[in-house]
Amino acid sequence: MPEIFTVSPKLKIIKNTECDIIEKALKRYIKILNLHKPSIRVKKTKKEDSPEITSLNVLVSKDFCPEHPVLGMDESYVLRANQSEVIIEADEVWGALRGLETFSQLFYYNGTRQYFQSAYVKDSPRFPHRGLLLDTSRHYFSLKVIKAIIELMAMNKMNVFHWHMVDGEAFPYASEVYPEFTKGAYDENHIYRISDIKEIIDFARLRGVRVMPEIDTPGHVASWGFGMEFMTSKCFDKKGVEMGKRDRGMLDVSNKKMWDALIALFKELMTVYPDQYFHLGGDETTFWMDTCWENNAKIKEFMGYWGLNSTTQLEQWYFDQLFMHLGLRDMPKKKFIVWQEVVDMGIKLPDGIIAHIWTGNRSEQLADVTKKGHMALLSECW
């Protein structure tokens, strides 16, 4: 049976790092755990007396305060609690953060005193990427709610906030290079400015959570055309009747103005987000390939010019062009992720692309994409 220790109301905190990540984490946990506040004193018999923890020691081996969390960061730690002290040891500040979270979960309050359970914990993550996707296009979430979600992620030692910011339903990102995009938002109150994004990135950094953006193309883009109509391809049913703006789910890849705006948007966002990975989407394009590309005479003429015999070949052409532009010298250097459909369609991708599995037989999909030489992310719905 583990021993139970009381915690001194004058708990001493000892640390060997000045990194702001640990400094601010300690302030948060002191507040959360109600430390450094006098406990209600109750008369105890000798039998009820228990050893008292008088110090919390946070020791980080590497004298380095990272700018941002990254894939593969060292989150391992060791926590030891004896009769007088709790010691958290880690190589990097990220491990110390995870150790502090475990410390908080071994801590409890019985209404009169604070207690801590004896423990020896040697912990490290099985997976380097432990993420949660939040879709802020179909449902807008305030900064307060997003921060609460990230706080809960940190409590569960998750480390990637996958921000699916825009989609066909709404375009809530307030671009500074093309402000017209926000005409695709629900209204002017339901947008995210660059300052908002930076606020979320900083909040997440202090909790060891990466913020990984996703801009989904070439499908799921109807909202892009509300303020910039040239971005999306006109769509037609089998009888050649033009469909509504809400049905324009594919980019107009034949339009040079579209390419200029698309690359400027990517450059802006790749500069705003410091994470080394950027999610390019690519899912479910078959929903709109026939109506928006195959049935569009302008797109068919464009395909003929480039010698493309199918809309799948056109999507290959699109990704070839996109990766060429994103790899230019003046672009921020990133690594990229695509949804599994891109791989399923046989699209040839550059080396190093990660395939994100989310539907179908997950085991078979994982085997397929890794056999093709790609690293893989696995997602499950709730």
Side-chain angles (χ1 to χ4, degrees), residues 246-378:
R246 275 283 175 198
D247 299 306
R248 295 182 185 178
M250 295 290 271
L251 292 175
D252 184 351
V253 295
S254 70
N255 193 323
K256 184 182 181 301
K257 285 176 66 179
M258 188 286 295
W259 279 103
D260 291 342
L262 180 70
I263 300 309
L265 177 68
F266 271 116
K267 185 175 183 178
E268 179 181 48
L269 285 165
M270 288 164 66
T271 303
V272 170
Y273 286 90
D275 198 73
Q276 74 267 50
Y277 282 92
F278 199 103
H279 204 303
L280 300 175
D283 64 318
E284 299 180 327
T285 54
T286 54
F287 289 176
W288 303 280
M289 273 183 159
D290 285 346
T291 56
C292 301
W293 281 359
E294 183 67 34
N295 298 346
N296 183 315
K298 179 188 170 191
I299 298 294
K300 288 290 284 184
E301 182 181 351
F302 180 81
M303 290 170 61
Y305 175 82
W306 285 98
L308 305 172
N309 298 317
S310 68
T311 52
T312 300
Q313 289 183 6
L314 180 58
E315 184 162 327
Q316 176 72 68
W317 182 91
Y318 167 78
F319 275 109
D320 288 344
Q321 295 297 309
L322 182 63
F323 285 120
M324 180 194 71
H325 284 292
L326 297 183
L328 292 177
R329 187 176 298 176
D330 65 336
M331 297 292 284
K333 300 307 173 194
K334 300 288 184 183
K335 298 176 181 178
F336 299 105
I337 303 171
V338 295
W339 290 113
Q340 71 186 65
E341 288 94 327
V342 180
V343 179
D344 291 345
M345 290 175 69
I347 303 297
K348 293 180 176 62
L349 298 167
D351 292 339
I353 301 296
I354 294 179
H356 197 159
I357 308 302
W358 71 281
T359 187
N361 185 311
R362 311 298 203 274
S363 298
E364 290 180 5
Q365 290 284 352
L366 281 170
D368 181 58
V369 300
T370 53
K371 194 180 294 181
K372 290 175 181 175
H374 301 291
M375 290 183 67
L377 279 176
L378 173 64

Side-chain angles (χ1 to χ4, degrees), residues 77-266:
Y77 66 93
V78 174
L79 180 150
R80 297 193 303 275
N82 58 36
Q83 294 186 354
S84 62
E85 62 182 358
V86 176
I87 301 171
I88 296 170
E89 294 179 294
D91 283 343
E92 296 184 9
V93 295
W94 311 119
L97 265 185
R98 305 304 177 220
L100 282 168
E101 181 57 40
T102 297
F103 167 75
S104 74
Q105 294 173 5
L106 292 169
F107 196 103
Y108 68 96
Y109 182 66
N110 73 347
T112 56
R113 291 299 303 267
Q114 292 150 323
Y115 292 89
F116 193 84
Q117 181 175 297
S118 66
Y120 175 82
V121 179
K122 186 175 183 180
D123 190 18
S124 60
R126 181 181 177 193
F127 298 107
H129 181 120
R130 306 179 304 282
L132 177 75
L133 182 153
L134 187 70
D135 182 340
T136 57
S137 170
R138 295 176 176 91
H139 301 278
Y140 180 88
F141 292 88
S142 69
L143 297 189
K144 182 178 179 181
V145 171
I146 292 175
K147 287 179 179 179
I149 290 168
I150 292 171
E151 194 78 76
L152 287 166
M153 289 176 64
M155 289 180 185
N156 288 279
K157 300 186 176 74
M158 300 177 79
N159 67 358
V160 182
F161 176 64
H162 177 165
W163 197 342
H164 186 93
M165 183 175 284
V166 302
D167 208 289
E169 283 72 16
F171 197 107
Y173 171 58
S175 170
E176 293 183 1
V177 290
Y178 281 97
E180 300 94 330
F181 272 126
T182 52
K183 290 181 180 177
Y186 291 121
D187 60 49
E188 61 186 13
N189 297 315
H190 292 81
I191 59 173
Y192 302 106
R193 296 174 176 83
I194 288 177
S195 59
D196 297 327
I197 294 170
K198 289 181 176 179
E199 184 178 332
I200 292 298
I201 290 169
D202 187 56
F203 183 90
R205 167 189 177 262
L206 294 174
R207 289 151 182 82
V209 176
R210 296 164 47 205
V211 180
M212 183 184 76
E214 180 189 349
I215 299 297
D216 196 356
T217 68
H220 287 280
V221 295
S223 65
W224 298 43
F226 289 0
M228 300 174 69
E229 193 167 343
F230 61 82
M231 293 299 296
T232 55
S233 173
K234 291 182 179 180
C235 307
F236 301 85
D237 65 18
K238 291 179 180 179
K239 296 180 179 179
V241 177
E242 185 175 347
M243 302 166 75
K245 280 190 176 182
R246 275 283 175 198
D247 299 306
R248 295 182 185 178
M250 295 290 271
L251 292 175
D252 184 351
V253 295
S254 70
N255 193 323
K256 184 182 181 301
K257 285 176 66 179
M258 188 286 295
W259 279 103
D260 291 342
L262 180 70
I263 300 309
L265 177 68
F266 271 116

